[in-house]
Amino acid sequence: MKKYLIMMAGLPCTGKTTIRKKLMKKLEGYDFHDNTQVRKEFGYKKFDPRRDHFVLKEVDRRTELSFKNNKGVILDSIHRFNHRRKELYEIADKLGVKILIIECICSAKESKKRLRNRPKTEGIVGDVRDTKIYDRLSKEWEDIKKDLGEDYAKHVSYTKFDSEKNNFERIKVDPELINIVEKIEKII
């Protein structure tokens, strides 16, 4: 089966990691890369935006390496900024790989409830239960639909999963990705 770049996107506690874990169990031949894991490997004790470009470049390097090794990739991150998504679109395009974005959503009320119920961790991003982080990130969110009209996103398919209502919606799906989208719908 052909491999793709599957980008999990969405605000905190909307279901990205839950879906990613399900996909990793059921989809063969996929690697998982994530900014937080790279930060930990680099020994960062807390999030530092001045150093984060090193983290993103490492995620990019690992993503390219996975594709060169005939693996698909699942990226689990907020992916809130258009410029960062564009960088990933360009990497995939250079390698001839199509992208499927799964944006996870739910109400702010539900996300914040999930945030407050998260177990306390020694995370490097800060308190993963802080609803102020959700509020800040939601204000920074740049709509993925706006990417779709751009030339650099021609190879991007876009779906949404409402984890509160358990509803999967196809926004724009390349015919080549129909089979993987159907498989994902069954998994989640």
Side-chain angles (χ1 to χ4, degrees), residues 107-168:
S107 69
K109 181 180 178 181
E110 179 65 21
S111 285
K112 289 178 179 185
K113 179 177 121 185
R114 293 174 186 175
L115 273 167
R116 287 187 294 273
N117 290 330
R118 271 184 170 174
K120 188 170 186 165
T121 66
E122 298 298 320
I124 59 172
V125 177
D127 185 357
V128 295
R129 300 174 304 161
D130 185 353
T131 59
K132 292 178 196 157
I133 293 172
Y134 176 93
D135 293 333
R136 180 180 56 82
L137 296 174
S138 69
K139 289 176 186 168
E140 295 174 352
W141 184 263
E142 295 176 359
D143 190 358
I144 295 170
K145 278 187 182 178
K146 291 180 181 176
D147 298 0
L148 301 179
E150 302 294 335
D151 283 342
Y152 59 76
K154 286 186 265 185
H155 59 303
V156 175
S157 292
Y158 176 46
T159 62
K160 277 189 177 184
F161 178 69
D162 186 326
S163 61
E164 190 174 5
K165 298 176 182 171
N166 198 32
N167 182 52
F168 192 89

Side-chain angles (χ1 to χ4, degrees), residues 1-16:
M1 179 180 262
K2 192 162 179 172
K3 304 295 187 236
Y4 305 101
L5 173 56
I6 300 172
M7 291 173 55
M8 304 303 303
L11 293 170
C13 282
T14 54
K16 298 179 303 296

Side-chain angles (χ1 to χ4, degrees), residues 20-165:
R20 187 257 309 156
K21 287 177 181 177
K22 289 180 181 182
L23 296 179
M24 289 303 298
K25 284 182 183 175
K26 299 285 186 177
L27 294 179
E28 293 181 24
Y30 276 81
D31 289 338
F32 160 66
H33 304 299
D34 134 294
N35 302 354
T36 301
Q37 183 60 38
V38 172
R39 287 183 192 107
K40 288 178 184 176
E41 291 171 14
F42 281 7
Y44 295 171
K45 299 296 181 202
K46 64 180 194 170
F47 176 75
D48 181 351
R50 295 170 297 174
R51 295 191 301 183
D52 215 42
H53 67 279
F54 297 115
V55 172
L56 299 177
K57 292 302 165 205
E58 179 62 15
V59 169
D60 295 350
R61 186 191 71 75
R62 292 177 185 190
T63 297
E64 286 190 51
L65 187 61
S66 293
F67 284 119
K68 289 177 181 174
N69 288 321
N70 295 316
K71 299 282 212 124
V73 174
I74 299 175
L75 297 177
D76 182 353
S77 186
I78 293 171
H79 293 117
R80 69 189 177 279
F81 294 123
N82 166 274
H83 69 273
R84 175 59 184 151
R85 293 190 303 260
K86 183 180 177 189
E87 290 172 349
L88 293 166
Y89 300 163
E90 289 171 347
I91 289 168
D93 189 44
K94 177 178 78 172
L95 297 169
V97 173
K98 295 202 175 186
I99 297 173
L100 173 63
I101 297 175
I102 304 171
E103 181 184 353
C104 294
I105 62 169
C106 67
S107 69
K109 181 180 178 181
E110 179 65 21
S111 285
K112 289 178 179 185
K113 179 177 121 185
R114 293 174 186 175
L115 273 167
R116 287 187 294 273
N117 290 330
R118 271 184 170 174
K120 188 170 186 165
T121 66
E122 298 298 320
I124 59 172
V125 177
D127 185 357
V128 295
R129 300 174 304 161
D130 185 353
T131 59
K132 292 178 196 157
I133 293 172
Y134 176 93
D135 293 333
R136 180 180 56 82
L137 296 174
S138 69
K139 289 176 186 168
E140 295 174 352
W141 184 263
E142 295 176 359
D143 190 358
I144 295 170
K145 278 187 182 178
K146 291 180 181 176
D147 298 0
L148 301 179
E150 302 294 335
D151 283 342
Y152 59 76
K154 286 186 265 185
H155 59 303
V156 175
S157 292
Y158 176 46
T159 62
K160 277 189 177 184
F161 178 69
D162 186 326
S163 61
E164 190 174 5
K165 298 176 182 171

